[in-house]
Amino acid sequence: MQISDIDIKIILRPNNSLSPTGSMKVVAILFLIILIVAISFSLMGAWLVLPFAGLEILALAYAFYSVYLHSNDYESITISNESLIVEKKNYKELTTTIFQRYWAQVVVRDLVQSHTRGKKVGLFITSHGKEVEFGRYFINDGQRTMFARELRQKIKNIY
């Protein structure tokens, strides 16, 4: 008896180890530390530290806000009996691409080769002129090649 891989859902999400309230607490603590240091330097006569401390606090708050905006991003693959559905959510944008399972192919190929970072591979799902990159931000190169092998196997097991 052969096992059927009908209705498999694979979801990739970023590691969000800090909650939004935790982020606010970290920003508040860093704000107090930066403010205390800036005020102490300004009392010693280096008053020009205050505007730069304010810029530092704003940049830090913006960085935490940007991380918060992308905390719900994900990429998912749903494999059903006849289709393969790829969903990608990036901040406010949700894209869905549907492939016929029989014709879908999983391809791993080199992307950009730079002198500092070396080779980088990408995992693509292709069929009939459509192509979607999967796992670009959530998994590394080794995980991509391993995941590609597993995904090829799951796509092949139609019945």
Side-chain angles (χ1 to χ4, degrees):
M1 182 166 105
Q2 196 169 4
I3 298 172
S4 176
D5 286 334
I6 298 173
D7 294 321
I8 296 173
K9 185 150 187 143
I10 301 163
I11 301 172
L12 299 179
R13 292 186 185 273
N15 182 10
N16 295 325
S17 58
L18 192 60
S19 68
T21 56
S23 296
M24 292 297 288
K25 289 176 184 177
V26 168
V27 170
I29 290 170
L30 290 173
F31 172 77
L32 287 175
I33 292 171
I34 292 168
L35 191 63
I36 290 169
V37 170
I39 289 174
S40 63
F41 272 101
S42 67
L43 291 176
M44 288 189 284
W47 60 269
L48 197 55
V49 171
L50 284 174
F52 288 103
L55 287 174
E56 183 179 3
I57 291 169
L58 285 175
L60 194 64
Y62 178 74
F64 272 86
Y65 180 69
S66 177
V67 168
Y68 170 72
L69 289 179
H70 291 282
S71 64
N72 290 325
D73 292 357
Y74 69 89
E75 293 182 5
S76 74
I77 293 178
T78 305
I79 303 171
S80 65
N81 196 19
E82 296 171 5
S83 64
L84 186 137
I85 303 166
V86 179
E87 288 183 350
K88 296 174 87 174
K89 183 177 183 292
N90 184 6
Y91 181 44
K92 292 181 179 178
E93 181 181 350
L94 177 66
T95 59
T96 303
T97 308
I98 301 172
F99 297 100
Q100 252 187 329
R101 182 176 178 175
Y102 182 77
W103 296 106
Q105 295 181 355
V106 179
V107 179
V108 177
R109 67 172 180 254
D110 293 337
L111 291 176
V112 177
Q113 185 174 357
S114 70
H115 301 288
T116 58
R117 298 175 73 192
K119 280 190 195 177
K120 184 158 176 66
V121 297
L123 186 144
F124 295 89
I125 300 168
T126 64
S127 177
H128 294 91
K130 289 191 289 186
E131 181 176 75
V132 174
E133 186 176 6
F134 189 78
R136 182 177 190 170
Y137 300 109
F138 303 125
I139 55 178
N140 62 28
D141 289 346
Q143 292 171 330
R144 278 187 201 97
T145 54
M146 188 173 60
F147 180 69
R149 268 187 262 123
E150 291 178 15
L151 189 58
R152 284 185 194 114
Q153 191 63 36
K154 291 192 184 304
I155 291 172
K156 284 182 187 176
N157 293 333
I158 294 177
Y159 302 105

